[in-house]
Amino acid sequence: MIASVIVDVPAKQTDRPFDYKVPLRFQGIIKTGMRVVVPFGPRKIQGFVVDFQQESSFDKLKEIEEVLDIVPVLNSELLSLSQWLSEETLCFRISAMQVMLPAAMKAKYEKIFHSLVSPEELPQTVLSSLNREGCLSWQDAVGKGMLKILQQLVTDGKMDLRYQVKNKTNLKKIRIITLAKSEEESRNLVETLSLAAEKQKKVLNYLLISPENKRSVQETKLETTVSDSTIKTMLKKGYLTESYEEIYRDPFEHRSFARSVSFQLTDQQRAAIEPVLKAVDQYDHTTFLLHGVTGSGKTEIYLQTIEKVLSQNRQAIMLVPEISLTPQMVERFKGRFGEQVAVMHSGLSVGEKYDEWRKIHRKEVNVVVGARSAVFAPFEKLGVLIIDEEHESSYKQEDAPRYHARDVAIERAKRHGCPVILGSATPSLESFARAQKGNYQLLTLSKRMNNQPMPQVTIIDMREELRDGNRSMFSRELLAQLQERLDKNEQTVLFLNRRGHSSFIMCRDCGYVMQCPHCEVSMTYHRNAEKMKCHYCGEEAQVPSTCPECQSEHIRYFGTGTQKVEEELTKLVPQARVIRMDVDTTTRKGSHEKLLSAFGEGQADILLGTQMIAKGLDFPNITLVGVLSADTMLHLPDFRSAEKTFQLLTQVSGRAGRHDKEGEVVIQTYTPEHFSIDLAKTQNFELFYNQEMAMRKIGQYPPFYFMALINISHENVLKVVSVSEEISSLLKQKLSSQAVILGPVASPIARIQNRYRYQCLIKYKKEEGLKPLLKAILNDYQSAKKDSVMIHIDVQPYIMM
DNA sequence: AGCACGCCGACT
DNA sequence: GTCGGCGTGCTC
């Protein structure tokens, strides 16, 4: 029997199956979708079995060396999905497979020197470095500067170098002790032990009352106040046996979730959920666009759909933009479905993610709530896939495989015969256009639950404030409102919409901003390390005290702006208690959640922050939302900037008055006439949609056109330019006259890690030959040759960089 | 991606 | 003459 294996080498030339003989001992054990270790050239690497064959066209087959799984980690659906994904996003098959699994399962490799001769034959220096088995890892050898000697020993045949796949079991294990003898004998033992062995008796008695006469060592020590040495003695004497049990890391340990039950739906909600439930019943893969204003109860629709799905013994995937930001969402899901929920998001450690994944894989849970990659959860009977806040850009992965979770969800729904729900108060233009065309089915929730009014939104023209001599960041209106909330003991959220998220250093005399020497980006100031860092290549530098350009001492730190706002706040309203949320205050794990819950408990009057506070915040006492500068995002060179501005303003406005108290919103801006700001006032999505669609049509942008972005980079500018020109003219020549080819132009970030970057943008409506052409371009230019350029292609890009 | 193989310049 | 630089091609 012969297995076809996709090997763990993400490169053009290895992006195909390699055949291996299946040794007798693995026959009947190896299945497709399992990870294996195979010899590949001189090394050993990991691979995925994708197929079996009777024979191979290759005649010098090697054997599969090792099997890493008992149960396939990729089922047949995910295997075929990986094929689809690699074709769709033009990525390597192995990358498509890797993205479906938790990072912990990605193989790590190790090179180890093994001694082949008796110790006397080796030099003393080498000998002292070897471990008990006569081995030394390549890494240690490098660290000790012994590579040269070892290489000599290898050529002399005294040692050899072996390649290993690190099979790190990421299982968290705990030490368990069990009574070694029967209960009867153990009880006798308690009687017969000497008086001095008081602690040992304690342990025996404790285990006698424990279920199955076993306990974790940790618990035992805690309960009986004995030390390790006691247990060690008892093990030695044979009173106890020890073993290890695998446990799950529980990211929500020490937290309990109040059980909740379904709410009575409003008429609107019932009308919206009905077609969804019907689709679930009929195994119909309709995509629904649930357009519901903020506070209209979309979540309850999700929850009740999932309930239905679970009642049919099927499973559900629920995607949220970034779950660590919405602990309230986790709470609602855990509250409703309890132990049946796995949670997957970027805030978890590698091990925690692995554990959550295994719960799904072993069918211990039926619901997963998670960020983008949770769309690949290995469920086998999906009943629904839900994408909340579907317009969020975080559903698009920005490195290979450059997929959009929405597309993957729709593709999986097809394979499982189940509906997809895309939910948002401000749908992306693409989705809404599809709903208008009838590709998606539109469901609308126009009213808030309990019929609360939408918050009152006031737009403040900051130019007028300035004209009237108010130079502060706060308009008189906002300040007055703020004061009012303080008096009434209600809470305020202040939102600073700032371009970017990081802080930098600028000279106030000459405008110098510290740039990374290898990348065309400014370096970021890191407060805790007191260093400048480049976010693209990791370059570090000292914080300058004088300007390197003009020697001025007026070189200043520009924070996220939140500190400045905070300073001003303490001057204007000194009695207010402020919680600031920005990169500086939320770097530590869980700090987000802590700050939010502190605010929720009323420990502060004002929550001040950037983008990160826009979502999921739902506290009854928030009655005022202030947006300090609505237009900073509007002037970014991005055709989606108006859409993003409108979405953001609508989202933040939705934070106010979600419960019985009415909410007000104050938006400060320098361009009140812009339609994305003007329409955020009434939160009129349809009007905004129509206007923005007109703009997109004129500009030939999505959803009227599809896009593909080709990024070409090389250390030599001339090389990049010439190749870019070649590609561009090839595109112009091969594509239809309908297609628009922009560029080549230098990328917005013109250089990263000393590589110059150019790009071509293709806008097209229908282009049958595009995929093959792009593949051909990748094949031609992405060769293994030394001097070749690097090419990335992003189909339907979100960020134009 | 690694790694070996092989072809050219600068040294004992 | 050989050591070692990097460009080229292969890995079942």
Side-chain angles (χ1 to χ4, degrees):
Chain A
M1 196 167 56
I2 289 153
S4 296
V5 175
I6 298 287
V7 294
D8 180 22
V9 182
K12 190 78 235 134
Q13 291 145 301
T14 49
D15 189 27
R16 61 186 172 86
F18 285 81
D19 291 346
Y20 288 88
K21 274 192 277 197
V22 179
L24 220 53
R25 65 183 189 283
F26 292 146
Q27 288 190 14
I29 292 173
I30 294 191
K31 301 196 179 67
T32 55
M34 281 186 180
R35 294 170 306 153
V36 290
V37 174
V38 291
F40 197 66
R43 18 180 213 149
K44 296 203 171 51
I45 57 173
Q46 196 185 83
F48 290 85
V49 177
V50 291
D51 204 3
F52 290 107
Q53 254 126 24
Q54 283 314 306
E55 45 194 283
S56 170
S57 53
F58 197 86
D59 54 359
K60 286 174 291 191
L61 292 182
K62 293 186 183 173
E63 285 193 343
I64 286 179
E65 179 125 343
E66 202 180 324
V67 184
L68 293 175
D69 300 304
I70 316 261
V71 181
V73 289
L74 295 174
N75 58 34
S76 60
E77 186 233 343
L78 290 174
L79 274 178
S80 83
L81 192 73
S82 74
Q83 179 64 39
W84 170 86
L85 190 64
S86 72
E87 282 165 17
E88 211 58 27
T89 66
L90 300 166
C91 73
F92 303 126
R93 182 86 190 273
I94 189 70
S95 313
M97 295 173 128
Q98 224 93 263
V99 80
M100 299 179 165
L101 298 172
M105 293 179 82
K106 208 182 149 176
K108 293 264 193 313
Y109 299 98
E110 214 175 12
K111 291 190 278 188
I112 294 173
F113 290 102
H114 286 249
S115 166
L116 298 175
V117 292
S118 54
E120 307 85 68
E121 293 184 58
L122 295 171
Q124 189 52 45
T125 45
V126 174
L127 207 55
S128 58
S129 301
L130 296 182
N131 67 10
R132 301 175 293 298
E133 286 95 36
C135 302
L136 174 63
S137 79
W138 176 282
Q139 272 233 294
D140 290 348
V142 172
K144 289 175 179 161
M146 293 175 55
L147 269 192
K148 198 101 192 162
I149 314 174
L150 288 165
Q151 241 157 18
Q152 188 55 50
L153 288 167
V154 170
T155 35
D156 293 350
K158 290 184 176 169
M159 294 191 87
D160 71 351
L161 183 58
R162 295 180 206 170
Y163 299 80
Q164 281 182 15
V165 177
K166 249 197 210 170
N167 197 0
K168 46 168 190 168
T169 50
N170 262 286
L171 305 177
K172 187 171 175 180
K173 289 186 178 160
I174 51 166
R175 212 164 120 219
I176 302 275
I177 45 171
T178 320
L179 288 181
K181 299 173 181 165
S182 69
E183 283 202 25
E184 193 56 46
E185 286 174 274
S186 298
R187 226 169 264 129
N188 286 335
L189 202 56
V190 175
E191 302 302 319
T192 51
L193 272 175
S194 78
L195 276 172
E198 188 196 348
K199 296 254 174 177
Q200 297 190 25
K201 288 183 192 174
K202 257 181 156 177
V203 174
L204 288 170
N205 278 325
Y206 182 61
L207 288 176
L208 277 164
I209 57 161
S210 301
E212 293 178 60
N213 298 335
K214 69 178 189 183
R215 276 294 169 172
S216 74
V217 171
Q218 197 192 0
E219 267 180 297
T220 311
K221 273 161 68 178
L222 208 70
E223 290 296 319
T224 59
T225 66
V226 304
S227 67
D228 259 327
S229 65
T230 313
I231 291 172
K232 208 170 180 182
T233 319
M234 294 178 74
L235 284 165
K236 228 184 241 164
K237 287 188 181 168
Y239 302 161
L240 304 175
T241 53
E242 83 181 319
S243 59
Y244 288 85
E245 263 182 35
E246 171 190 325
I247 57 153
Y248 289 128
R249 280 152 278 225
D250 184 1
F252 297 98
E253 206 177 0
H254 316 306
R255 295 253 318 252
S256 60
F257 296 93
R259 291 299 290 210
S260 68
V261 287
S262 1
F263 292 94
Q264 186 74 38
L265 296 181
T266 64
D267 289 349
Q268 263 200 343
Q269 283 176 316
R270 222 172 304 132
I273 200 173
E274 198 196 315
V276 179
L277 298 181
K278 203 170 143 202
V280 171
D281 271 335
Q282 299 182 342
Y283 285 76
D284 174 3
H285 65 266
T286 307
T287 302
F288 294 95
L289 178 61
L290 177 61
H291 176 211
V293 296
T294 49
S296 60
K298 293 187 285 292
T299 310
E300 191 57 32
I301 291 190
Y302 304 150
L303 289 167
Q304 296 199 15
T305 306
I306 295 173
E307 258 166 33
K308 167 90 174 186
V309 163
L310 293 181
S311 76
Q312 298 183 348
N313 279 322
R314 294 160 81 187
Q315 296 125 4
I317 293 176
M318 161 96 185
L319 301 187
V320 291
E322 190 40 84
I323 202 161
S324 59
L325 303 187
T326 62
Q328 288 172 336
M329 189 68 99
V330 179
E331 214 157 304
R332 279 186 84 170
F333 274 79
K334 288 241 173 188
R336 192 70 64 87
F337 305 115
E339 294 299 305
Q340 291 207 72
V341 183
V343 176
M344 282 222 169
H345 64 90
S346 60
L348 301 181
S349 72
V350 171
E352 285 168 343
K353 277 188 205 155
Y354 176 52
D355 284 353
E356 295 297 300
W357 182 88
R358 270 187 316 134
K359 285 186 200 164
I360 303 165
H361 189 232
R362 298 166 145 198
K363 304 181 171 49
E364 290 169 4
V365 295
N366 290 302
V367 181
V368 60
V369 181
R372 183 177 61 227
S373 64
V375 77
F376 297 112
F379 286 134
E380 280 164 8
K381 288 188 293 175
L382 277 174
V384 71
L385 291 124
I386 300 167
I387 304 190
D388 190 33
E389 309 289 355
E390 70 87 32
H391 61 277
E392 271 295 313
S393 58
S394 66
Y395 288 126
K396 175 73 203 293
Q397 175 146 311
E398 289 305 331
D399 39 48
R402 300 176 189 1
Y403 69 96
H404 197 296
R406 188 204 295 136
D407 304 331
V408 177
I410 291 171
E411 182 64 22
R412 286 198 80 182
K414 262 190 221 164
R415 290 156 193 253
H416 285 264
C418 73
V420 173
I421 308 176
L422 307 175
S424 177
T426 52
S428 61
L429 285 223
E430 284 92 333
S431 294
F432 203 74
R434 272 177 217 155
Q436 298 276 298
K437 277 181 81 180
N439 293 348
Y440 298 166
Q441 189 176 335
L442 185 64
L443 308 168
T444 310
L445 297 175
S446 56
K447 286 187 233 142
R448 287 188 144 188
M449 280 189 302
N450 320 326
N451 281 320
Q452 304 135 334
M454 293 302 285
Q456 172 84 35
V457 180
T458 315
I459 310 267
I460 303 292
D461 186 346
M462 291 304 277
R463 294 170 302 189
E464 263 174 44
E465 291 290 315
L466 204 62
R467 235 172 279 142
D468 293 349
N470 178 9
R471 303 193 59 185
S472 104
M473 304 169 79
F474 292 88
S475 60
R476 290 157 294 180
E477 169 78 17
L478 179 56
L479 203 58
Q481 293 261 16
L482 193 58
Q483 192 63 57
E484 196 186 316
R485 301 308 127 130
L486 287 174
D487 295 341
K488 284 201 281 186
N489 234 339
E490 292 174 354
Q491 291 181 301
T492 300
V493 173
L494 286 180
F495 179 76
L496 186 72
N497 184 6
R498 221 196 64 89
R499 175 185 178 154
H501 319 266
S502 50
S503 24
F504 59 101
I505 281 187
M506 188 169 89
C507 169
R508 300 179 80 188
D509 285 333
C510 71
Y512 166 87
V513 175
M514 195 170 191
Q515 298 278 119
C516 171
H518 315 296
C519 312
E520 222 84 321
V521 293
S522 43
M523 296 183 83
T524 311
Y525 173 63
H526 280 243
R527 165 166 282 204
N528 25 5
E530 209 23 64
K531 276 218 167 94
M532 304 299 294
K533 257 189 196 160
C534 171
H535 272 198
Y536 286 87
C537 71
E539 171 85 10
E540 285 188 13
Q542 289 298 315
V543 181
S545 53
T546 57
C547 174
E549 288 281 299
C550 69
Q551 273 68 51
S552 157
E553 283 176 14
H554 298 136
I555 189 151
R556 224 199 111 177
Y557 159 68
F558 285 78
T560 49
T562 44
Q563 285 120 309
K564 220 176 134 200
V565 177
E566 192 181 17
E567 276 166 35
E568 205 168 325
L569 265 177
T570 42
K571 266 187 227 144
L572 293 169
V573 277
Q575 76 275 30
R577 296 162 301 162
V578 181
I579 288 182
R580 199 183 86 213
M581 265 178 82
D582 58 23
V583 277
D584 284 337
T585 61
T586 54
T587 37
R588 268 184 308 118
K589 193 183 161 186
S591 49
H592 248 120
E593 214 170 330
K594 258 186 217 133
L595 290 176
L596 279 182
S597 62
F599 187 66
E601 284 159 18
Q603 291 176 30
D605 307 299
I606 299 172
L607 178 65
L608 166 65
T610 50
Q611 258 90 330
M612 58 174 74
I613 59 170
K615 278 159 225 103
L617 208 56
D618 187 2
F619 298 122
N621 208 25
I622 301 174
T623 57
L624 174 64
V625 169
V627 180
L628 293 169
S629 50
D631 29 24
T632 31
M633 192 179 228
L634 203 52
H635 311 301
L636 294 179
D638 178 350
F639 71 91
R640 279 186 239 263
S641 62
E643 183 182 352
K644 284 183 181 158
T645 302
F646 180 81
Q647 284 166 349
L648 208 66
L649 293 181
T650 309
Q651 292 292 340
V652 277
S653 301
R655 299 305 118 212
R658 291 174 73 92
H659 296 261
D660 39 327
K661 290 176 189 163
E662 273 186 39
E664 283 197 62
V665 179
V666 175
I667 296 175
Q668 304 187 153
T669 174
Y670 289 90
T671 47
E673 63 280 359
H674 192 280
F675 70 98
S676 63
I677 292 172
D678 185 44
L679 291 173
K681 184 173 169 181
T682 46
Q683 315 211 347
N684 191 331
F685 178 78
E686 273 83 0
L687 255 180
F688 170 78
Y689 170 80
N690 289 334
Q691 287 214 30
E692 178 66 10
M693 281 296 268
M695 306 292 284
R696 299 283 178 92
K697 190 163 190 178
I698 296 166
Q700 299 182 313
Y701 281 115
F704 293 96
Y705 280 77
F706 293 115
M707 301 199 300
L709 185 75
I710 306 182
N711 187 303
I712 303 116
S713 69
H714 193 269
E715 285 184 15
N716 183 342
V717 207
L718 298 173
K719 179 99 188 165
V720 183
V721 174
S722 74
V723 171
S724 305
E725 298 280 2
E726 265 173 56
I727 289 175
S728 158
S729 63
L730 185 71
L731 291 169
K732 280 172 187 153
Q733 181 196 322
K734 300 266 174 167
L735 295 179
S736 78
S737 56
Q738 275 212 321
V740 183
I741 291 124
L742 299 180
V745 291
S747 292
I749 299 174
R751 190 172 50 127
I752 292 180
Q753 292 213 49
N754 282 330
R755 300 181 71 91
Y756 289 88
R757 308 164 78 238
Y758 268 68
Q759 60 186 35
C760 289
L761 183 65
I762 309 160
K763 299 199 276 192
Y764 62 99
K765 276 184 187 266
K766 195 162 187 267
E767 214 58 58
E768 292 297 332
L770 182 65
K771 277 272 162 64
L773 180 60
L774 293 177
K775 250 190 180 161
I777 290 175
L778 281 175
N779 264 329
D780 288 355
Y781 292 98
Q782 206 181 44
S783 57
K785 284 187 190 140
K786 186 70 204 273
D787 204 36
S788 76
V789 295
M790 210 192 312
I791 297 197
H792 289 152
I793 299 182
D794 193 341
V795 187
Q796 317 317 337
Y798 244 75
I799 298 171
M800 303 288 147
M801 299 198 290

